[in-house]
């Protein structure tokens, strides 16, 4: 059973090295590439101001975040939720960099960036030269992102889960079927051939009264009726 966590964060700015902090985490659980409906979401008091540029992106103000828990207070529950799962992140270096900076403060084990699935890198390989931000990918794959008026970690994780499914081949990949696609096609063809080879018996829908009336009609038009030949009867020799 493959367990993956699609993850997104929002932050006070763009550089953890300069003191910017995580202010929101959103996670969506997937098993064998199928969302389970289980998620994790938290707002965090960063203990520092949100930059104007970041606020313009996500709309999370200092006032809104003031009464939220600090990262150290939610670190254990967050680590428990993502434990033993592969992380799926759009532009993984950004989010992992911020989370590792937070873990460095709390003493938790840091993420290995190489273990994360970076959907931005996947999209660039699949669509070289095209725009591969989340909105562009939603447009490309026909995914509804109309609710995304501002960036939000949980909403973006939910949307990214849909994008990720498309990047790895579409929704059919999530079904746990015992046969590979080519084998399933061969099995289906064999089944159709076997079904077509079986003789088909047509079931008469005529009532006994209708059948008797039909026979009486044939008899009424004499022994030379052409219908008798089609019915397999021998036509009487002319006298």
């Amino acid at each position: 059973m493959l367990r993956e966590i699609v993850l997104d964060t929002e932050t006070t700015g763009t550089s953890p090295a300069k003191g910017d902090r995580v202010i929101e985490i959103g996670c969506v659980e997937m098993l064998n590439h199928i969302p389970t409906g289980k998620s994790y979401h938290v707002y965090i008091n960063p203990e520092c101001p949100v930059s104007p540029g970041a606020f313009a992106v996500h709309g999370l103000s200092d006032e809104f975040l003031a009464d939220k828990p600090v990262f150290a207070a939610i670190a254990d529950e967050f680590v428990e939720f993502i434990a033993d799962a592969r992380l799926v992140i759009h532009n993984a270096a950004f989010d992992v960099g911020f989370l590792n900076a937070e873990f460095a403060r709390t003493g938790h084990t840091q993420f290995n960036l190489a273990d994360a699935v970076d959907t931005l890198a996947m999209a660039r390989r699949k669509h070289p030269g095209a725009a591969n931000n989340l909105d562009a990918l939603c447009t490309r794959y026909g995914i509804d992102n109309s609710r995304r008026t501002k960036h939000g970690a949980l909403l973006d994780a939910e949307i990214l889960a849909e994008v990720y499914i498309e990047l790895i081949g579409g929704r059919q990949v999530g079904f746990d079927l015992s046969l590979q696609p080519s084998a399933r096609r061969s099995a289906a063809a064999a089944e159709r051939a076997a079904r077509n080879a079986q003789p088909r018996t047509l079931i008469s829908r005529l009532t006994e009264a209708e059948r008797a009336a039909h026979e009486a009609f044939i008899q009424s038009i004499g022994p030379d009726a052409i219908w008798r030949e089609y019915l397999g009867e021998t036509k009487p020799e002319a006298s």
Side-chain angles (χ1 to χ4, degrees):
M1 183 74 69
L2 174 62
R3 183 171 183 261
E4 295 173 304
I5 298 296
V6 183
L7 180 148
D8 188 58
T9 66
E10 299 300 336
T11 64
T12 62
T14 60
S15 176
K18 294 180 179 180
D20 286 319
R21 304 286 299 273
V22 174
I23 58 175
E24 185 184 10
I25 300 173
C27 300
V28 172
E29 182 186 64
M30 301 180 75
L31 294 179
N32 293 340
H33 306 310
I34 300 176
T36 65
K38 188 176 180 180
S39 63
Y40 175 82
H41 179 238
V42 64
Y43 293 109
I44 299 165
N45 181 348
E47 303 177 286
C48 68
V50 175
S51 70
F55 176 76
V57 171
H58 51 59
L60 299 177
S61 67
D62 296 334
E63 293 75 19
F64 174 79
L65 297 169
D67 63 347
K68 304 302 185 286
V70 298
F71 187 89
I74 61 89
D76 287 342
E77 66 180 22
F78 169 54
V79 169
E80 182 180 357
F81 183 83
I82 63 176
D84 302 320
R86 182 170 69 180
L87 298 182
V88 178
I89 309 172
H90 201 66
N91 192 11
F94 180 90
D95 298 84
V96 169
F98 268 94
L99 291 171
N100 280 345
E102 299 290 352
F103 286 148
R105 296 184 182 94
T106 60
H108 288 80
T109 301
Q110 297 185 17
F111 292 127
N112 183 349
L113 178 60
D115 293 336
V117 175
D118 188 347
T119 52
L120 178 58
M122 291 177 65
R124 285 172 173 169
R125 288 193 297 269
K126 192 167 185 178
H127 308 290
N132 286 302
N133 57 53
L134 199 54
D135 285 332
L137 291 169
C138 286
T139 299
R140 184 173 297 129
Y141 292 125
I143 295 169
D144 181 13
N145 65 339
S146 57
R147 296 176 295 158
R148 195 177 186 245
T149 55
K150 291 278 189 181
H151 287 215
L154 182 58
L155 175 59
D156 285 2
E158 292 171 345
I159 292 173
L160 181 58
E162 295 187 62
V163 168
Y164 176 54
I165 291 169
E166 297 299 334
L167 285 171
I168 60 178
R171 299 185 183 280
Q172 72 275 11
V173 302
F175 294 103
D176 184 17
L177 301 177
S178 59
L179 297 176
Q180 295 298 317
S182 59
R184 291 199 297 272
R185 287 193 293 270
S186 297
E191 182 181 349
R192 286 194 300 272
R195 187 168 59 247
N196 292 336
Q198 296 175 355
R200 297 183 180 182
T201 302
L202 297 178
I203 300 174
S204 174
R205 298 182 183 275
L206 293 174
T207 64
E208 289 300 323
E210 289 169 334
R211 189 177 292 106
H214 178 68
E215 181 60 28
F217 171 74
I218 293 176
Q219 294 294 338
S220 71
I221 60 176
D224 292 330
I226 193 171
W227 287 279
R228 293 187 183 277
E229 295 184 47
Y230 292 114
L231 291 172
E233 297 181 6
T234 303
K235 183 179 179 178
E237 294 292 331
S239 56

